[in-house]
Amino acid sequence: MSYENRDQQKSYYQKQQNQTEFVDGLRVFAPNQNAPEWIVANISIEAKEFYKWLVAKGKTLGDEKYIKLDVKKSKKGGLYVSVNNFKPDPNRGMNGNNYPPQEIIEQPAEDNFEDDIPF
């Protein structure tokens, strides 16, 4: 996704989120250049800081059972983690996955067949 498309969708998400909420004690890094291709990111947890944040966050969750996190790429290319506070708008017809539906582009059917039937 280009930064332009990300910025367009960002305005929709920011209506749902007042500001980015970072996660204390949790850091994400791009994998080492020698890492196998299936390693997408490296995550480092500073246990005491993360635990304090988790306890504080847990007090404000109410009936929520999960804290959703997003790994994002900054404009400078670095990775970071933030809390996903997005709540679906029932009036917008969300597809149940906490993200607005992507635009579907219909591809015209191509007729690559010759007019002559080979049999």
Side-chain angles (χ1 to χ4, degrees):
M1 174 185 299
S2 71
Y3 285 113
E4 293 168 1
N5 290 341
R6 185 178 81 170
D7 290 342
Q8 289 172 357
Q9 286 189 350
K10 188 176 178 181
S11 64
Y12 175 77
Y13 292 125
Q14 288 199 353
K15 290 177 185 174
Q16 299 293 321
Q17 292 179 253
N18 293 334
Q19 63 184 18
T20 300
E21 181 181 353
F22 294 103
V23 180
D24 295 342
L26 184 68
R27 305 289 179 262
V28 62
F29 303 95
N32 181 300
Q33 60 182 334
N34 296 326
E37 65 184 45
W38 62 84
I39 296 179
V40 178
N42 297 119
I43 296 176
S44 176
I45 298 174
E46 186 179 347
K48 289 182 182 179
E49 286 297 312
F50 182 70
Y51 178 75
K52 283 193 270 184
W53 177 84
L54 195 57
V55 168
K57 182 71 178 169
K59 292 177 183 177
T60 62
L61 284 177
D63 293 336
E64 298 285 327
K65 293 182 181 182
Y66 300 96
I67 299 173
K68 296 178 183 178
L69 306 176
D70 290 332
V71 177
K72 299 177 181 177
K73 185 179 282 190
S74 71
K75 289 183 179 180
K76 293 183 179 180
L79 300 175
Y80 66 99
V81 176
S82 68
V83 177
N84 178 341
N85 289 320
F86 179 77
K87 303 287 185 222
D89 182 354
N91 298 325
R92 252 191 104 131
M94 297 303 293
N95 56 9
N97 66 1
N98 273 357
Y99 294 99
Q102 299 295 312
E103 178 181 344
I104 298 174
I105 300 173
E106 298 273 338
Q107 296 293 330
E110 294 183 25
D111 185 7
N112 293 331
F113 302 108
E114 296 179 13
D115 291 334
D116 295 334
I117 298 177
F119 50 83

